[in-house]
Amino acid sequence: MPSQDTLTIRDNRTDKDYEIEIVDGAIRALDLRKVKVAEDDFGLMSYDPAFTNTASCRSEITMIDGERGILRHRGYPIEQLATQSSYLEVAYLLIYGHLPNEKQLAEWEENITLHTMLHENTKKFMEGFHHDAHPMGVLVSTVAALSTFYPDAKDIHNEESRKLQTYRLIAKMPTIAAYAYRHRRGLPYVYPDNGLSYTGNLMSMLFKMQRDKFVANPVLEKALDILFILHADHEQNCSANAMRSIGSSHADPYVATAGAAAALYGPLHGGANEAVLKMLREIGSKKNVPKFIKDVKEGKGRLMGFGHRVYKNYDPRAKIIRDTAEQVFEVTGRNPLIDLAMEVERIALEDDYFVKRKLYPNVDFYSGIIYEAMGFHSRAFTVLFAIPRTSGWIAQWQEMLTEEGQRIARPRQVYLGSEPRNYVPLGKRG
Ligand code: SDX
């Protein structure tokens, strides 16, 4: 009698049965290689393009229950972290697995504060970009370039080195983002101000003009910190997968982070927040929403900011972002796009096309509307996603590196190409 935690597979090609062990709700794909039609047969593989049902790792960082719209970081519900924690504290939690005590948090914040400056040569490097270079292109390139400034980062198995690169990456992302923004505006760079909070410093480097000291509106500073908490990590999303894959070759964390940011840049991933604003502007007004929804249902485009590979219920982050918007609007004035966005959501969630496919607003649906109200240009929205997600990428990278039996990521393929054939000299080709 087969034991409880196994799968019995009957191969009808050979009438042979195989017992495959089930551990933590999964089978090891490698066990399928036992299923053969002949001794010298390679054995079975599992085919899962885009990893729709394949776990690439065992992780303790983030849990998402897509059916129930639940998101927890190291067991803590996102709703509690968003209302009670801070972005830097959540970054610490993601990377070290527990909430810091007062001393640990103070040390963590101090170490990050002391690493906000960029090497002066970075400014010369940035000057090479066209005046209207997209800030994500600048960010991806500049993060990769940091790899050349910190060759010590290659010592990836040295915990102290990983700690130092962690400080540098979390601290310098806002500075890179701000420099890219100021370069595009033709404005002088503003150096980091170590007397400000993480988000206050970013806003100072972005918006400070000829004033002695930039003081961010505390409501906006706090709202941005909440948005950063909501964007910090999201288990094995496309960019986290890129971070883990690049890191698995033992490349340094700067080039791995650059690769993760490159993946985030895509409009199907972190680039969606910018695409949502463009979509809402194209819709223009509530009276055009039914026609837009009809076009989407006819396959003439996607409802950006809607749908998710894991969430088949409302993205809990979208709910918190929408509530935070009201606090921001009290300071900035209401962004009329939010009323249009809520009308799009209302109509879509009553339409069978979206209900049947379980398409709900995701984190990107409302975030851009807040960012725009706060004075950020839509081209900066994905940069505002990459900054906080850096701590999630680092947490995933570190967990991958320290995992028992860690190996280089190298998927298999199902080969359907040509059978063997001989080379045809040029003169003899048709
Ligand atoms: C993020 O993975 C993460 O955790 C990501 C993220 C994170 O924090 O890291 O949460 C951040 O990337 C959020 C997603 C942002 N992207 C968008 O908002 C872009 C629009 N959304 C989609 O393109 C799509 O929903 C994805 C990319 C998010 C998910 O794609 P899937 O899981 O591959 O779904 P799919 O493309 O297979 O769609 C399934 C069906 C299809 O219809 P049918 O072929 O069954 O007829 O749903 C339809 C799709 O056409 N569909 C949509 C749609 N999303 C899916 N139809 C219209 N509008 C959409 N947005």
Side-chain angles (χ1 to χ4, degrees), residues 127-412:
E127 288 317 302
F129 286 101
H130 208 49
H131 72 91
D132 63 351
H134 194 290
M136 274 305 286
V138 178
L139 181 126
V140 169
S141 318
T142 307
V143 172
L146 290 184
S147 164
T148 66
F149 288 90
Y150 305 113
D152 56 314
K154 290 180 173 51
D155 192 4
I156 56 171
H157 294 297
N158 175 324
E159 190 176 349
E160 285 312 305
S161 172
R162 287 204 304 269
K163 201 176 277 186
L164 177 56
Q165 313 320 325
T166 296
Y167 298 146
R168 284 169 170 162
L169 272 164
I170 294 175
K172 295 179 195 304
M173 285 301 252
T175 314
I176 294 171
Y179 281 17
Y181 175 78
R182 303 285 287 201
H183 168 74
R184 175 176 157 73
R185 294 284 310 277
L187 293 170
Y189 298 134
V190 174
Y191 284 109
D193 180 338
N194 290 348
L196 299 175
S197 70
Y198 191 75
T199 48
N201 177 43
L202 171 61
M203 295 166 87
S204 165
M205 293 190 290
L206 285 167
F207 302 131
K208 182 177 176 186
M209 292 304 178
Q210 294 315 316
R211 215 181 300 179
D212 300 345
K213 190 168 176 65
F214 176 90
V215 181
N217 179 300
V219 172
L220 304 187
E221 190 174 355
K222 176 63 184 161
L224 191 57
D225 196 75
I226 292 172
L227 283 157
F228 278 13
I229 290 171
L230 298 174
H231 285 83
D233 187 61
H234 212 237
E235 57 132 285
Q236 303 313 312
N237 57 81
C238 180
S239 53
N241 181 57
M243 185 80 183
R244 280 178 172 260
S245 182
I246 297 169
S248 75
S249 75
H250 292 180
D252 72 67
Y254 297 100
V255 291
T257 300
L264 186 78
Y265 191 5
L268 293 186
H269 191 7
N273 51 19
E274 182 177 353
V276 167
L277 264 288
K278 186 167 172 288
M279 173 189 76
L280 292 173
R281 291 235 146 76
E282 281 164 5
I283 294 172
S285 69
K286 288 184 182 180
K287 67 177 174 30
N288 300 331
V289 174
K291 165 80 172 59
F292 172 78
I293 294 290
K294 180 171 173 294
D295 288 348
V296 168
K297 290 163 64 178
E298 289 169 1
K300 294 178 189 160
R302 289 211 155 181
L303 177 43
M304 299 310 277
F306 253 65
H308 199 276
R309 172 65 54 77
V310 177
Y311 287 124
K312 299 309 169 192
N313 199 319
Y314 214 102
D315 184 332
R317 301 169 296 174
K319 219 174 280 176
I320 300 169
I321 289 175
R322 197 187 51 204
D323 300 345
T324 306
E326 296 308 332
Q327 299 161 28
V328 168
F329 295 153
E330 277 168 28
V331 172
T332 63
R334 191 170 188 76
N335 184 340
L337 285 181
I338 193 153
D339 299 311
L340 180 55
M342 289 168 80
E343 178 67 359
V344 168
E345 174 187 336
R346 185 187 67 78
I347 293 180
L349 295 188
E350 288 170 354
D351 189 302
D352 188 49
Y353 174 93
F354 296 91
V355 174
K356 196 171 66 177
R357 291 169 178 80
K358 299 186 177 179
L359 301 176
Y360 292 88
N362 59 50
V363 69
D364 291 303
F365 191 60
Y366 287 107
S367 56
I369 296 167
I370 296 189
Y371 288 144
E372 183 175 79
M374 294 171 81
F376 296 109
H377 191 282
S378 62
R379 290 163 76 101
F381 293 172
T382 308
V383 168
L384 292 169
F385 196 146
I387 291 172
R389 185 53 60 94
T390 299
S391 55
W393 290 331
I394 292 170
Q396 299 287 344
W397 168 72
Q398 180 140 272
E399 184 176 68
M400 176 277 301
L401 267 188
T402 53
E403 184 180 22
E404 190 60 35
Q406 186 274 327
R407 301 170 74 189
I408 190 168
R410 203 267 182 235
R412 293 285 184 167

